[in-house]
Each structure stands twice: as structure tokens, then as C-alpha cells.
Amino acid sequence: MFAEGNPEVLVVGAGPVGLLAALDLAKQGISVEIVDSGVWACKHSYALALYPQTLHLLRELGVLDRVMGSAYAVRTLALYDRDGLHAKVRLGDPGDPLGCLAVVRQDVIEDMFEHALREAGAAVHWRHDISALQPAPNHVTATVDRLERESRGYVVAHNEWVVGRRWDIQVPFVIGADGYNSRVRRTLNIEYPEVAPAQYYGVFEFETDAKLGDEARVVFGDGTSDVLWPLPGGLCRWSFQLTDYHDTVAEEMKDRLLRSGFGYFPTERPKDRTEGSPNKYPAVLDEKHLTDLIAARAPWFQSSIGRIHWRTVVRFERRLAASFGQNRMWLAGDAAHLAGPVAIQSMNIGFFEAHELATAVAGILRGQGTLADLDACGDRWHSEWRRLHGLEAHLEPTPETDPWVAEHAADLPACLPGFGAESARLAAQLGLFSPPVLSKTAVP
Ligand SMILES: Cc1cc2nc3c(=O)[nH]c(=O)nc-3n(C[C@H](O)[C@H](O)[C@H](O)COP(=O)(O)OP(=O)(O)OC[C@H]3O[C@@H](n4cnc5c(N)ncnc54)[C@H](O)[C@@H]3O)c2cc1C
């Protein structure tokens, strides 16, 4: 049961985006409850970098020092192909101590947010599923199922968890940060179409003697965008796009399963959209395949490949919700968009959607705003994602743009770690012009 009575805001989903939304609301003095049907926070690095823009937001929320304590600073994004370096982008403003991409494991980010949230007087209700939502003009009724391992109640859809207790709450606002299969999105009947085919990536984190310094590298190949990240502790992460890899079952079933509310790689936690297990890997994750990929796409990487700490195949879909919500139920993060892995966009931009929603909702609850403020947020982020997905306002070369950069202009919006004016600033360093987006109000 929740602390006292009904909260002002219910956040569904305690992934990174939901945690930030709840923390932001709690810091603004709004009573908030946050639930997650998962058993605990994620345990892997997954999305592993925070934008300079995100670091400024975390400073506002008072959690910057904790995050920076375990971060590895990347100040340059270098653009390569198999022949070597072609261009460099300097991240953040020179002289700004936060002008870097902070490489931090996703589980560390989630841990820190959860800790800060507890200190702000709210706590995540793990093993609590929102099984139904009923919107009304002035509130939303949410059905909360507390999941237990004991055999009482009735059996829920997967494994041995049962509903131990069920109750309804009425809340003025719901923020759906409930990821890919979002129940909030499905309740609102919001379409979630693919905007481009899914991409498969082989992700390898291993010990190496590579001296990457403060540089991350995006490597363009023949229809591929790979990425090399320096990690703390003498490790690096290579994420290679697997063009020949295809899961026929997943591809055939995806839309049907998404509509019915199932992931296609059913696991304990929907976020674990992974294949393989710690001891059994598909052949594409063999060390031999890793060395073949490096030889074919990045032969300049002559450094050692030591113990592989983590390897996985991830299927990254590219989707954009038809809208970000309506009235009193709004979406943020993977619930509203899915993107490829190179620029860690879905999580970082999800933080800003959550922040804007939290600010608008707090304003409305204090009588200083109207529901139209939420419509404006949704419109802004929808337009920004259309741009990031390359659906409108592509980056345009000028006659002075380096021909190699011009050739890759269409791939760059998905690779630059920033949004709004910041992403235009990064593109300008490459001699690319960013036409204005077609929204009524652009993301600053
Ligand atoms: C193996 C792997 C590697 C990845 N690598 C990258 C990468 O390199 N780059 C990148 O950009 N991204 C990567 N990602 C994606 C990244 O992890 C997501 O973009 C990020 O987690 C999105 O955060 P979120 O908070 O929006 O959603 P999520 O993290 O998915 O959190 C949603 C939460 O909602 C909960 N939930 C769902 N339904 C309900 C309900 N009805 N009631 C209660 N709770 C509910 C779920 O349990 C979940 O915890 C990776 C993901 C995986 C799995």
C-alpha cells in the first residue's frame, strides 16, 4: 500500500526515465508514487553515457556529484571508417567542466537515482504492476497489483508470480515511463509504428590495452554505424551492427505481440530484450567473430582483446509514438520512442521529456498552468524525434562541407549526442546545417 492516500502523480516504470521523473516531482514538493512490475533495478551497463545537457539537468536535481564520481569523461566524438579518422566533434562548451559525455553504467545511474529518490522521501514500489488504467476528465483510476511469489491470489501471465493484493487509486496525473510495452500508451490507443527497420547489434565489453583517452569513436561502414566506447578500469565497449543477423520469428511477430502487450524475448524484465545467456552465446558473439568484425570494419584497432566481461545481441527497433499522451496521461522515454544505440538518445532525451512533464504537471497542480502546457510538451518532443529519426529536416551539407562528412550527413542525426540547439551546434562543427524543425514550439 502507498504511504498516505492517493499521490498527486503516479509514475509507471522505474527505469532511468521514470526514476528521474519521480525525483524531479519529489524535489518540486509534489507527492508522487513510482511503481515497477520488475523485481529490482537493471543490472547491466545498457545505455552507458550521459550528455553534457543531461549533466546540467542532474546538477539542477542535486545528483550530479554522485554521478560524476563514477564517470569516465569523453570530450570528443571521432568519426571513422575502416581507413581511419575523418572528423572530430568537440562535446560541450570549451571551458565548461560539464562539457563532456559522462560514461556511467545504466545500473549505476538507476541506483543513484533510486537512492536520491529515497532521500527525497519517495521510494520505488518494486513488484507492483499497473494492470489497468481508466482515464476520466479530472483524474485517472489506476489498478495496482502487488506481485508475490507465494501461491495465493490467482496466477499472473508469466512464471510463478501471483497477485497478492489488488487495489485502485485515483490520481490527477500519470506519467508512463513504462518502456517498450507501455500499458499507458496502449490504454490511450496510441499507435507505435516503426519508422525504420530494426537493427541488430553485437555488444562486447572487454579488457584492452587500447589508449582511447577521452574519445568515443563512431565508425561508418557499408550501411553500418558501429561505436567504440572507452570504459573505466581498462575496458572498452564495441557495438557492431550485425547486418546479416535476422530473427525471423521476432520480425514476423513483432507488431502482433506489441499490440497484445508482450515482448518478443520474454524475460523476467521487459528491459532485458536480449538473446543468449551467460554461458550460451549465438555464434555472432564468439571471440573469433569479434576479431573478424574488427579486421573488416576497424583494422586500425590493433589493441589487445582481453577477457570479455559482457557480450550480448540486442535488437534495436526504431519507433515513434503517434502522440506523447493526452489530458492526464503522458509518456516519456522508451514508452514513446525507440532508437538505435549509437548516441544513447532514448534515455538521455527521455530525461528531458520527463523533466518537462514534471515541471508542467507541478505547475498545473499549483494552479499556475493548464493542460495545454502538456500538449505543448508532447508536440515539441514529437517534432524533435521526427528530426532525430530523419523523418523531417535532415542535416544539410554546404559547398564547403568535407565530402566524406556530406556523404554521411543522413546517418549523423542518430549519432550526435545532443538534441535541439545543442545537436545543431555539434553538426555545425562538421560543416552541416540544421534546418529548423516544423513544430509549433521547438525544443530549445
Ligand atoms: C541489452 C541492452 C543494451 C542496451 N544498450 C543501449 C545502448 O547502447 N544505447 C542506448 O541508447 N540504449 C541502449 N539500451 C536501451 C536503454 O536501456 C533504454 O533506452 C532505457 O532503459 C530506457 O529507459 P526507460 O526508463 O524509458 O525504460 P525502461 O528502462 O524500459 O524502464 C521501463 C520500466 O517500466 C516497467 N514497467 C513496464 N510496464 C509496467 C507496468 N504495467 N507496471 C509497472 N511497471 C512497468 C518495466 O519493468 C521497466 O523497469 C539497451 C537496452 C538493453 C536491454
Side-chain angles (χ1 to χ4, degrees), residues 15-17 42-51 67 101-110 113 203 205 227 229 231 237 239 271-274 310 312 314 316 334 339-351:
V17 173
C42 83
K43 297 287 169 223
H44 286 293
S45 39
Y46 298 155
L48 82 174
L50 301 168
Y51 292 180
V67 172
L101 264 172
V103 176
V104 194
R105 291 169 55 108
Q106 185 173 332
D107 53 344
V108 174
I109 298 169
E110 291 188 21
F113 286 177
V203 181
E205 287 186 2
V227 59
W229 289 98
L231 302 181
R237 177 195 283 195
S239 299
K271 184 182 292 172
D272 294 329
R273 305 188 296 266
T274 56
W310 189 51
T312 189
V314 193
F316 287 95
D334 275 19
V342 175
I344 323 286
Q345 288 173 330
S346 208
M347 179 181 77
N348 278 280
I349 298 175
F351 289 149

Side-chain angles (χ1 to χ4, degrees), residues 185-202:
R185 187 188 65 238
R186 284 183 287 125
T187 302
L188 291 171
N189 275 322
I190 295 174
E191 289 289 316
Y192 202 29
E194 279 197 291
V195 296
Q199 299 171 322
Y200 289 89
Y201 273 80

